[in-house]
Amino acid sequence: MRQSRYFLPVLKETPAEAQIVSHRYMLRAGMIKQQSAGIYSWLPLGFKVLRKLENIVHEEQMRAGHIPMLMPTLQSADLWRESGRYDDYGEEMLRITDRQGRDMLYGPTNEEMITDIFRANVGSYKDLPLTLYHIQWKFRDEIRPRFGVMRGREFYMKDGYNFDLTKEDALHAYNRHLVSYLRTYERMGLQAIPMRADSGPIGGDDTHEFLVLAETGESEVFYDSAVTDISLGAREIDYDSHDQCRAIMEEFTALYARTDETHDEAVFNQIPQARRRVARGIEVGQIFYFGTKYSDPMGATVQGPDGKPVPVHMGSHGIGVSRLIGAIIEASHDERGIIWPEGVTPFHVGIVNLKQGDSAADAACDSLYAALGAHGLEPLYDDRKERAGGKFATMDLIGLPWRVTIGPRGLEKGVVELTCRRTGESEEMSPEAAVDRLVQIYAPHRVSGL
Ligand code: 5CA
């Protein structure tokens, strides 16, 4: 993308309404625009990151054997009356009446709708196990929408639902989700710690929240610092293996890590003092096993092996896709702006032309731009007639992890400059070497772009 043709409305001033750094930078980098409290337009740069995260979520869900679909944002109140949640859900639910006087609502989540789809279409235990998911906009009329996309009223969420014949199979689905979520967050350059939590309005006994540690997080968390040493890394995962998924779940949840809702001071105090941590975190996902809470009242049964109808065991599993953008920025920024992890960056590399209009500099930028594109990398080329200082400031603010700077002086020596946003280190090299290096850097971060 040539910046002269892009729509990147960066702000010089720090917007007064933004209290935390991710909100400030998202506004300043021209990623979002507030339309009303907790409701945002996604401007091109923000939309690009949102799509990247969405693609990573899809890839990892499909890898785990989960099936994508799409349910509508508007739902009929009748479904929610069947489960009993229409009255229970409270003021967070946006209720709407259509012209026929029918009660509708903007979905805050989809347990009822998916259970309805299931009962209409699945009749036999032979069709199980089944996990369906979608990534769709949700609405919760939060009393205090704040921190930009972090606590929105309209937000983008992946929600998945498993249907199993037995509790044992449903617990495998729970573990499988836990593992696939760990992979998802790691690919986004984040450490998200599963913590035992409270199930709230979704219900059920077993639930873990995934928390990214950040001072600005809304949740108070208590944990053994040794949990931050564990990561999934590149290990091979067989999502059909109950044993492997259970072992990974146990490995990641054995140490003490809880939100304030489930915190137990006595157990916490048994951790060696040097490893006790009280901190704050951003909840970027939650998984639930709730058994037959929805299948019982809504009649979602299958014919079991003995021919008798049995209610299915279910769980639901959510990732806050739009919130994750805020969480990533909270975890990865400096005083100059955002620092995107390679896996989620909106453009792979920025090209800064130090002397727009200089024929050698322009030609070198054009050819680098083409060479990167030929390798499937997406550069943002600042081809505007601006001062170099202003171009650098914008690149730093929008946070592309790599920048190539090209000017007449370097070109006389046959070199360009490759700069790492995170460390600030620069290296001179030929344009070809810069392309090779970038191809190498991004090789592990390719997303299929479904
Ligand atoms: N049905 C279940 C699982 S699919 C469910 O709704 N879970 S949830 O309530 O925990 O939401 C899933 C994730 O959505 C949360 O972990 C959080 O990351 C994100 N989320 C929830 N509320 C908001 C909000 N107001 N703004 C942005 N993200 C939110």
Side-chain angles (χ1 to χ4, degrees):
M1 177 58 65
R2 286 169 186 271
Q3 213 161 317
S4 60
R5 297 181 196 167
Y6 200 43
F7 180 61
L8 185 66
V10 297
L11 308 177
K12 290 229 164 53
E13 307 299 322
T14 297
E17 76 269 25
Q19 297 163 28
I20 61 170
V21 71
S22 56
H23 190 193
R24 278 200 291 277
Y25 283 156
M26 286 185 79
L27 292 169
R28 283 195 50 210
M31 294 177 68
I32 51 170
K33 179 183 183 307
Q34 183 174 314
Q35 302 297 159
S36 48
I39 300 179
Y40 292 87
S41 286
W42 292 81
L43 306 183
L45 193 74
F47 184 58
K48 232 165 167 336
V49 181
L50 192 67
R51 283 282 171 264
K52 286 249 167 134
L53 299 191
E54 180 179 357
N55 283 344
I56 292 176
V57 171
H58 272 304
E59 275 192 359
E60 293 306 326
Q61 287 308 298
M62 291 194 236
R63 200 194 302 277
H66 306 159
I67 306 168
M69 61 178 294
L70 186 61
M71 289 175 271
T73 52
L74 293 185
Q75 307 189 18
S76 154
D78 288 340
L79 275 180
W80 288 66
R81 292 198 176 99
E82 280 189 59
S83 72
R85 279 208 297 180
Y86 189 63
D87 294 324
D88 290 353
Y89 211 91
E91 302 220 80
E92 265 188 27
M93 183 188 278
L94 181 64
R95 294 156 211 257
I96 302 162
T97 309
D98 73 10
R99 67 200 297 170
Q100 259 84 32
R102 280 185 292 246
D103 292 332
M104 310 287 290
L105 56 99
Y106 194 132
T109 174
N110 285 61
E111 279 81 4
E112 285 75 1
M113 190 173 278
I114 198 82
T115 307
D116 179 54
I117 291 168
F118 180 89
R119 71 181 170 189
N121 295 289
V122 181
S124 162
Y125 76 97
K126 290 182 194 141
D127 299 323
L128 306 182
L130 179 66
T131 296
L132 299 166
Y133 77 92
H134 73 161
I135 305 180
Q136 177 61 292
W137 294 96
K138 304 290 186 296
F139 195 94
R140 294 182 188 172
D141 204 352
E142 301 276 353
I143 189 156
R144 250 170 33 107
R146 57 182 185 157
F147 301 160
V149 300
M150 208 75 101
R151 181 162 296 278
R153 293 199 296 162
E154 190 184 46
F155 61 96
Y156 206 39
M157 180 169 108
K158 172 263 161 182
D159 41 325
Y161 305 86
N162 67 283
F163 301 90
D164 289 279
L165 182 62
T166 63
K167 180 169 181 182
E168 144 74 19
D169 284 352
L171 290 178
H172 170 58
Y174 186 88
N175 298 338
R176 198 174 61 225
H177 277 89
L178 185 138
V179 178
S180 71
Y181 280 23
L182 290 170
R183 261 191 91 130
T184 303
Y185 300 125
E186 284 187 18
R187 279 187 62 182
M188 295 175 182
L190 283 176
Q191 179 170 46
I193 305 169
M195 300 199 181
R196 186 155 283 288
D198 183 68
S199 64
I202 309 292
D205 307 326
D206 281 308
T207 182
H208 281 90
E209 286 180 0
F210 291 77
L211 284 114
V212 173
L213 298 173
E215 277 166 30
T216 49
E218 292 190 289
S219 316
E220 189 171 28
V221 296
F222 302 81
Y223 63 97
D224 180 334
S225 64
V227 293
T228 58
D229 300 332
I230 321 171
S231 73
L232 215 47
R235 56 181 116 168
E236 279 290 313
I237 290 157
D238 172 4
Y239 282 106
D240 288 331
S241 163
H242 287 219
D243 289 345
Q244 192 194 13
C245 290
R246 189 185 315 110
I248 295 174
M249 185 276 286
E250 284 168 359
E251 177 188 351
F252 277 80
T253 58
L255 292 162
Y256 190 93
R258 298 193 191 180
T259 62
D260 53 358
E261 296 151 350
T262 55
H263 175 57
D264 182 334
E265 198 68 22
V267 185
F268 185 60
N269 286 335
Q270 288 165 15
I271 306 168
Q273 177 142 29
R275 298 205 325 240
R276 267 179 243 159
R277 297 282 185 283
V278 180
R280 303 200 71 80
I282 302 166
E283 181 207 322
V284 293
Q286 187 162 6
I287 54 177
F288 302 83
Y289 163 71
F290 44 67
T292 57
K293 175 179 158 113
Y294 297 90
S295 53
D296 261 337
M298 295 185 67
T301 57
V302 289
Q303 197 174 48
D306 59 0
K308 294 203 182 103
V310 277
V312 287
H313 286 259
M314 292 175 61
S316 71
H317 315 276
I319 294 182
V321 180
S322 47
R323 175 180 289 183
L324 267 165
I325 300 186
I328 292 169
I329 297 173
E330 289 297 323
S332 185
H333 67 268
D334 64 13
E335 67 293 342
R336 287 176 288 140
I338 303 165
I339 307 174
W340 293 114
E342 270 91 0
V344 304
T345 183
F347 293 95
H348 296 108
V349 50
I351 302 175
V352 171
N353 187 343
L354 290 177
K355 199 161 185 200
Q356 201 70 43
D358 175 277
S359 58
D362 291 0
C365 288
D366 285 342
S367 95
L368 182 77
Y369 184 86
L372 289 164
H375 283 93
L377 293 175
E378 211 179 353
L380 178 67
Y381 169 23
D382 193 342
D383 59 344
R384 298 167 308 154
K385 284 214 150 110
E386 296 267 329
R387 283 183 313 108
K391 291 186 176 185
F392 289 145
T394 300
M395 283 292 175
D396 284 349
L397 173 66
I398 68 171
L400 310 184
W402 297 93
R403 188 185 78 207
V404 179
T405 310
I406 299 184
R409 222 176 304 153
L411 288 175
E412 279 169 23
K413 295 187 284 171
V415 297
V416 299
E417 192 183 62
L418 180 66
T419 306
C420 172
R421 171 71 181 84
R422 190 173 296 280
T423 62
E425 281 164 23
S426 292
E427 221 183 301
E428 290 193 335
M429 59 185 78
S430 70
E432 296 74 26
V435 173
D436 285 349
R437 180 79 70 81
L438 289 162
V439 168
Q440 244 171 39
I441 288 168
Y442 281 106
H445 298 286
R446 294 297 172 120
V447 183
S448 61
L450 306 137

